[in-house]
Amino acid sequence: MQLTQMQCLIVEDMDALRKIMAEQLRQLGFGQVLQADCGRQALDMLQRMQIDLLLLDWSMPDGHGQELLESLRQQDKWQDLPIILVTANAHRSLVEVAMKYGVSDIIAKPFNSKTLQARVLQALTRRHKRTQVAPSSAMAAKIDATATTETAPALNVVLVVDDMPDNLAFMAGLLNDDYKVLFAKDGKAALKICQSATPPDVVLLDVMMPEMDGHQVLQALRIEPRTTEIPVIFVSALGEVEHHLQGLRGGAIDYLTKPVQPEILKLKLANVLAQVQRQRALQQECDELLRLAQLKDNADSIISHDLKNPLATISALAQKLAQDKSFPKEWLPKINLVDELALQSINTVNLTSDILRIEAGQYALDAEWFSVHEMLKQLLQAAQVNFHSKQLVAYLSPDEDPCSSFDVMGDPKLCHPMLFNLIKNAFEAARPKTKVAISLSRHEGDVLIAIENTGAVSADIREQFWEKYVTQGKAEGVGIGTYAARLFARAQKGEANLVVDDAKSMTRIVIRLPAAIDAVVGE
């Protein structure tokens, strides 16, 4: 697809930055660049127009970026829309949110045109790969060019602009040991360097120069989108207060008076470049966190796909062997064990897959009526067989449900692993020759499932009981069973809670599931 045929939408509440970004993307070759100053206006444009790329400011006074992002990902037509977050406050939790909602990239403010254009092309390239459409030759050339500049090592480059050769020589002797120093004898040469593919990190700018003075150079830098973020320090013989104010009002970050004190200049320059380095480090940290998160998601997807097929084959072969009368009868328990272990492994893979889909906001609840009583009855029977050596007294109350009082509106594919893991945990935690009690009741139109066992959950993990990767007493445990249980309950508009009675040394898990269509469908 040609960039000239594509439409980009920028959502940014700062008018000046929004216009600069729009100009940078027009220069890149977009056919149309639309602008919105709030989430509400952006949503209206998205509903009326075909948008190919969204650049979203994360923090806006009217319509927070996350609210718009959540709204978009909840609708099928925007599930695959490439979105780039633009933020001045990048942090680890933001990266986690970005991965959850399938964000293509994060750009940390401030940034230059080279960074913006490179990230935009990379986001579009990833979209093309997902849809198996090759980018045009023109786009591919741009991608190659920007990738080279994007991966080049960052250098501290200082541009000194002065029409006096003695001043240039002085600055060279002062700065050459610490920085790569470039020189320009007039404003036009300075602008050419700043607008090149490798602009300087900071400009030391004289005021009094022929043809184009320093203030005119600064104005030209601030107007041009490619140079608007380059920090400028004035170095001038004009020392009056009004000259200082004029320079600072024009967008300079500092103003030094000649003759310059070398140590002061070095310190101010070091401070400015430290900020540049912090910006680069922040962007690199965001990039690395996104890369690692994407690698994890890719690995999880591969594991899920590549494990389920052989496990299903093992289960099928075990069932076939169990029915083969030519095999010795004493082999049957072992064959059944192989089948059971394979089915348990498939359940674990499915559990991980469901968790990923819910966390990514890609799970759509497909609710139906089913008997949770019947499901619990089957799971309890299986647990009694697996844990028969503990001699537990386990029961379901009530024994039967002839009037279907405990039918719920939910997703059986989520309820089965949810209840399976909670019942298994109860049997594992219960002391030998004690009881595991499962009871069903109704409360305000919902069905309550209580699973109770002897032994109190340790006090040091109660606050984190439902969190991911929390486990105790199981060397082989990965700690996702209880996390998944609450996640699955909430995905069905229900809830899961823990109650511990230290006096009786009892642990009770209560699951609430809706037993009314309105509770699930009517939202």
Side-chain angles (χ1 to χ4, degrees):
M1 182 180 292
Q2 298 286 343
L3 282 177
T4 54
Q5 299 173 347
M6 301 177 74
Q7 292 191 108
C8 175
L9 173 59
I10 300 171
V11 188
E12 166 66 57
D13 64 298
M14 292 182 60
D15 184 66
L17 179 58
R18 189 174 65 251
K19 290 179 179 178
I20 289 170
M21 293 170 63
E23 179 59 29
Q24 291 170 343
L25 294 181
R26 290 190 190 99
Q27 292 176 2
L28 186 61
F30 273 91
Q32 188 172 9
V33 182
L34 305 172
Q35 302 178 44
D37 60 8
C38 65
R40 186 176 59 254
Q41 184 183 10
L43 192 57
D44 178 64
M45 289 184 175
L46 284 160
Q47 289 170 339
R48 292 186 291 107
M49 304 176 186
Q50 176 62 44
I51 301 299
D52 300 291
L53 175 69
L54 175 65
L55 277 82
L56 176 61
D57 181 22
W58 189 240
S59 181
M60 295 177 291
D62 183 9
H64 193 277
Q66 184 168 351
E67 295 174 4
L68 177 59
L69 186 57
E70 290 175 351
S71 176
L72 294 178
R73 291 314 194 208
Q74 287 173 0
Q75 301 190 46
D76 292 340
K77 62 180 177 179
W78 293 317
Q79 281 285 328
D80 297 323
L81 174 66
I83 299 176
I84 297 176
L85 296 185
V86 182
T87 178
N89 186 26
H91 45 80
R92 185 176 296 273
S93 60
L94 174 59
V95 176
E96 293 173 355
V97 172
M99 291 305 305
K100 176 180 178 181
Y101 293 107
V103 168
S104 301
D105 207 342
I106 298 176
I107 302 178
K109 297 178 183 177
F111 51 85
N112 56 35
S113 60
K114 178 178 65 176
T115 297
L116 176 65
Q117 293 175 352
R119 299 305 177 106
V120 164
L121 289 175
Q122 288 170 5
L124 293 175
T125 305
R126 285 192 287 268
R127 197 270 302 266
H128 280 297
K129 287 181 179 179
R130 286 198 305 270
T131 56
Q132 298 181 336
V133 177
S136 67
S137 57
M139 182 185 289
K142 288 186 177 182
I143 292 167
D144 291 340
T146 53
T148 301
T149 58
E150 194 68 8
T151 56
L155 300 174
N156 287 328
V157 181
V158 180
L159 171 62
V160 180
V161 187
D162 200 306
D163 63 320
M164 299 297 293
D166 290 345
N167 292 336
L168 295 176
F170 171 76
M171 288 293 188
L174 190 63
L175 304 176
N176 268 339
D177 290 342
D178 300 313
Y179 309 108
K180 179 179 179 180
V181 184
L182 306 178
F183 301 99
K185 294 182 179 180
D186 56 57
K188 290 183 179 179
L191 292 176
K192 184 176 180 180
I193 293 172
C194 290
Q195 294 170 4
S196 69
T198 54
D201 295 311
V202 64
V203 177
L204 299 179
L205 180 60
D206 186 24
V207 174
M208 295 186 295
M209 295 184 296
E211 296 185 19
M212 193 176 194
D213 67 26
H215 295 298
Q216 292 172 317
V217 173
L218 179 59
Q219 183 181 17
L221 289 173
R222 293 297 173 254
I223 292 174
E224 168 59 48
R226 289 175 293 174
T227 61
T228 186
E229 298 294 339
I230 298 177
V232 173
I233 298 176
F234 271 122
V235 182
S236 173
L238 301 175
E240 289 78 7
V241 173
E242 58 266 25
H243 295 132
H244 284 247
L245 293 175
Q246 183 181 0
L248 295 175
R249 286 170 180 158
I253 64 170
D254 212 331
Y255 193 108
L256 298 178
T257 305
K258 296 177 181 178
V260 175
Q261 294 294 324
E263 292 305 315
I264 292 178
L265 173 62
K266 286 185 176 182
L267 285 173
K268 288 183 178 289
L269 197 55
N271 289 339
V272 172
L273 290 170
Q275 178 61 33
V276 171
Q277 290 300 100
R278 281 193 293 270
Q279 172 63 26
R280 286 176 177 164
L282 180 62
Q283 184 67 67
Q284 289 171 358
E285 182 180 4
C286 285
D287 294 344
E288 181 64 10
L289 289 171
L290 277 173
R291 186 185 70 82
L292 292 175
Q294 288 166 349
L295 284 175
K296 179 182 180 299
D297 280 356
N298 291 340
D300 287 339
S301 297
I302 292 170
I303 290 171
S304 176
H305 179 270
D306 291 354
L307 281 179
K308 284 174 69 174
N309 286 339
L311 286 170
T313 303
I314 291 171
S315 175
L317 287 173
Q319 293 174 24
K320 186 175 181 179
L321 290 174
Q323 297 171 1
D324 191 336
K325 296 183 179 180
S326 65
F327 278 88
K329 290 183 179 180
E330 59 269 23
W331 287 20
L332 187 59
K334 295 181 179 180
I335 293 173
N336 288 335
L337 179 61
V338 170
D339 183 26
E340 180 186 334
L341 292 174
L343 291 175
Q344 287 184 11
S345 299
I346 292 173
N347 177 72
T348 301
V349 173
N350 288 334
L351 184 72
T352 304
S353 176
D354 290 334
I355 290 173
L356 289 173
R357 286 191 297 125
I358 294 172
E359 289 179 332
Q362 297 172 352
Y363 173 77
L365 178 61
D366 185 16
E368 62 181 72
W369 286 108
F370 71 96
S371 172
V372 73
H373 185 281
E374 183 63 27
M375 182 177 288
L376 286 167
K377 190 173 182 179
Q378 294 174 2
L379 290 171
L380 182 59
Q381 290 173 351
Q384 287 174 312
V385 172
N386 291 335
F387 292 91
H388 69 277
S389 62
K390 297 186 75 171
Q391 301 179 43
L392 298 170
V393 176
Y395 58 86
L396 173 63
S397 176
D399 292 339
E400 301 295 336
D401 183 25
C403 299
S404 300
S405 300
F406 302 113
D407 285 5
V408 298
M409 174 59 70
D411 188 341
K413 296 188 297 296
L414 290 187
C415 281
H416 190 277
M418 174 184 71
L419 296 173
F420 170 83
N421 280 288
L422 292 176
I423 292 173
K424 180 170 69 72
N425 286 349
F427 272 77
E428 288 174 342
R431 294 191 296 271
K433 298 182 180 181
T434 59
K435 72 173 182 177
V436 174
I438 303 175
S439 60
L440 285 161
S441 60
R442 297 291 297 260
H443 178 70
E444 296 181 353
D446 293 334
V447 169
L448 300 183
I449 306 164
I451 304 171
E452 187 176 277
N453 62 270
T454 56
V457 172
S458 177
D460 59 351
I461 68 165
R462 292 177 192 175
E463 292 295 323
Q464 297 84 35
F465 183 79
W466 300 106
E467 294 180 9
K468 208 171 187 179
Y469 309 128
V470 174
T471 185
Q472 186 183 52
K474 294 186 290 183
E476 76 284 1
V478 296
I480 64 170
T482 52
Y483 169 78
R486 173 171 275 187
L487 190 71
F488 291 177
R490 289 177 172 176
Q492 299 174 87
K493 315 303 180 185
E495 189 52 272
N497 291 295
L498 168 70
V499 180
V500 180
D501 189 333
D502 287 311
K504 296 181 179 180
S505 187
M506 298 290 290
T507 295
R508 182 181 177 90
I509 302 293
V510 180
I511 302 292
R512 178 181 58 80
L513 292 175
I517 296 178
D518 292 343
V520 177
V521 181
E523 296 191 352

